[in-house]
Amino acid sequence: MEKMIKKRIDQVKEKGHQRLTVLLIPHGFDKSFHFQISIFTIFFLVGLLFAIVGIAVLGIVRYNNTRIQINALASVYGKYFDEYIEYSEKLGDIRDDFASLNENLQEVHSLVDGESDELLKLPDESDSEDLAATELKVEEAVDKDLMLGRSYLSEIYGYRSVKVSMEKNKALVDSVFNFLDSRYGIMNSLPFGEPLLSYNLTSYYGMRRSPTFGYMEFHDGVDMANVPGTDITATGDGRVYRAIYSNRGYGNHIVIAHANGYYSLYGHCTSLKVREGEYVHKGQRIATVGATGNVTGPHLHYEVWIGESNRTDPMDYMKVGFGQY
């Protein structure tokens, strides 16, 4: 059997090495010429020609299919297709920014005495990519048009993995937000900030000579001069403890009760814009500057109390860095 196979192979080799003479006779009187070529060479050249033609045809077909699918994809994504391609180039920067944000959130979470270390057990990038791929496969099963983008817009998966990571970080963001929001609420409920946007400080807290009677007296607040009718705003959230119209002492004035036993007083107003018992917010318009009561000119007399009897220097609260808006 082996001898027969070897014999057949030798016969094929013998025929393959046989040479054919090709004679070329040009028109006219030019000399003719010829050359020899083996049968193996002829088969090789013919095979090579078919391979080149086949590759060319395959390339043209694939190019046309690619253009057709890209055009179909463009019609699916509409006018946002070009913008999507542009923004996909920025995916790397978005990943870096998110990684930096994630580190900052974790640091803030640790600094504000976060509620639970479980919030810091965030998924790895590979886990987020797997979850993103799973979500997209579910969507593709519903919307077949999405299948068009899988071969050409791999950034879809990149953006989706970032989105999944953000969703997984939501608990961390909420924890930090709730902590800061509660602290912000506490700060808003205290009389921090200034009741007027602009003013001339005409009298400080402490001993002074009375502008109306001339003798030395203790001044319980600060006087802030401005034109009549200028808006006065609450320096903190609270409930209106008093809203009194009077021609003596503080004149028309308001007292707001804040959290933790703090009070703020706004005296010598022209008109009062809130009623006793009403809840007001920091920055809310509560009255206007006037010259009612014991005064020599239009100004706001402003006081801060701890309890109903302990007057403190309002400047300590006006300059703590928290504006009224």
Side-chain angles (χ1 to χ4, degrees):
M1 184 67 178
E2 293 181 359
K3 291 182 179 180
M4 290 181 62
I5 294 174
K6 184 177 180 182
K7 183 178 179 180
R8 297 288 295 181
I9 293 174
D10 291 339
Q11 290 176 351
V12 172
K13 287 183 178 179
E14 183 179 353
K15 289 185 178 182
H17 287 297
Q18 289 180 357
R19 293 180 174 273
L20 300 178
T21 299
V22 180
L23 178 64
L24 299 177
I25 303 176
H27 289 287
F29 300 98
D30 293 334
K31 185 178 179 179
S32 63
F33 62 93
H34 65 276
F35 63 90
Q36 293 183 342
I37 185 170
S38 68
I39 293 177
F40 277 158
T41 303
I42 293 174
F43 276 114
F44 172 76
L45 293 176
V46 171
L48 180 63
L49 177 62
F50 275 106
I52 293 173
V53 172
I55 291 173
V57 171
L58 179 62
I60 293 173
V61 171
R62 294 193 65 177
Y63 173 79
N64 289 334
N65 288 337
T66 300
R67 293 306 309 170
I68 291 172
Q69 291 190 24
I70 288 178
N71 291 335
L73 184 63
S75 66
V76 171
Y77 286 89
K79 64 179 180 179
Y80 301 107
F81 180 73
D82 293 336
E83 287 84 348
Y84 185 88
I85 295 296
E86 177 183 350
Y87 291 134
S88 67
E89 299 174 358
K90 302 177 182 178
L91 179 58
D93 294 336
I94 293 175
R95 286 184 181 275
D96 293 340
D97 292 342
F98 175 71
S100 177
L101 174 63
N102 185 42
E103 291 178 2
N104 293 337
L105 280 173
Q106 294 188 48
E107 182 177 357
V108 172
H109 182 269
S110 62
L111 291 175
V112 300
D113 190 21
E115 298 174 358
S116 172
D117 291 338
E118 291 294 321
L119 295 176
L120 299 181
K121 296 180 180 179
L122 303 173
D124 295 330
E125 183 176 351
S126 59
D127 295 334
S128 297
E129 291 176 353
D130 292 341
L131 289 171
T134 301
E135 287 185 2
L136 282 173
K137 286 180 181 178
V138 173
E139 292 181 14
E140 288 168 358
V142 177
D143 187 354
K144 299 301 181 183
D145 287 335
L146 290 176
M147 291 293 293
L148 295 171
R150 296 193 64 179
S151 301
Y152 306 101
L153 296 180
S154 60
E155 292 81 5
I156 290 177
Y157 293 91
Y159 275 113
R160 183 56 66 92
S161 64
V162 173
K163 174 179 176 289
V164 169
S165 297
M166 289 181 176
E167 290 175 348
K168 296 302 180 184
N169 282 19
K170 187 175 183 299
L172 177 61
V173 175
D174 289 343
S175 174
V176 174
F177 174 80
N178 291 337
F179 179 90
L180 297 178
D181 185 58
S182 65
R183 272 39 177 195
Y184 182 75
I186 293 173
M187 299 304 296
N188 268 353
S189 65
L190 299 177
F192 288 155
E194 301 177 333
L196 296 179
L197 285 176
S198 62
Y199 56 88
N200 291 322
L201 193 61
T202 56
S203 186
Y204 289 88
Y205 174 84
M207 294 299 298
R208 68 166 187 177
R209 186 173 297 278
S210 172
T212 53
F213 301 107
Y215 53 78
M216 296 300 296
E217 66 175 0
F218 191 87
H219 190 228
D220 292 330
V222 293
D223 290 343
M224 309 164 70
N226 207 321
V227 297
T230 301
D231 287 341
I232 301 171
T233 57
T235 53
D237 296 347
R239 194 167 301 280
V240 178
Y241 183 64
R242 297 177 192 162
I244 297 176
Y245 287 89
S246 173
N247 293 323
R248 297 181 297 176
Y250 292 127
N252 302 336
H253 66 280
I254 292 172
V255 177
I256 297 176
H258 304 281
N260 301 314
Y262 282 89
Y263 294 82
S264 58
L265 180 144
Y266 311 79
H268 309 308
C269 306
T270 296
S271 61
L272 309 182
K273 305 301 180 182
V274 292
R275 298 186 300 273
E276 191 170 303
E278 182 178 345
Y279 192 86
V280 297
H281 296 280
K282 184 181 182 71
Q284 180 178 334
R285 179 173 176 252
I286 58 173
T288 57
V289 172
T292 59
N294 184 20
V295 295
T296 57
H299 70 278
L300 168 65
H301 175 81
Y302 178 63
E303 296 182 8
V304 175
W305 312 342
I306 300 178
E308 295 186 48
S309 59
N310 186 14
R311 269 62 170 170
T312 61
D313 188 351
M315 295 299 293
D316 293 339
Y317 303 88
M318 292 168 57
K319 302 299 183 182
V320 293
F322 294 88
Q324 60 183 3
Y325 297 106

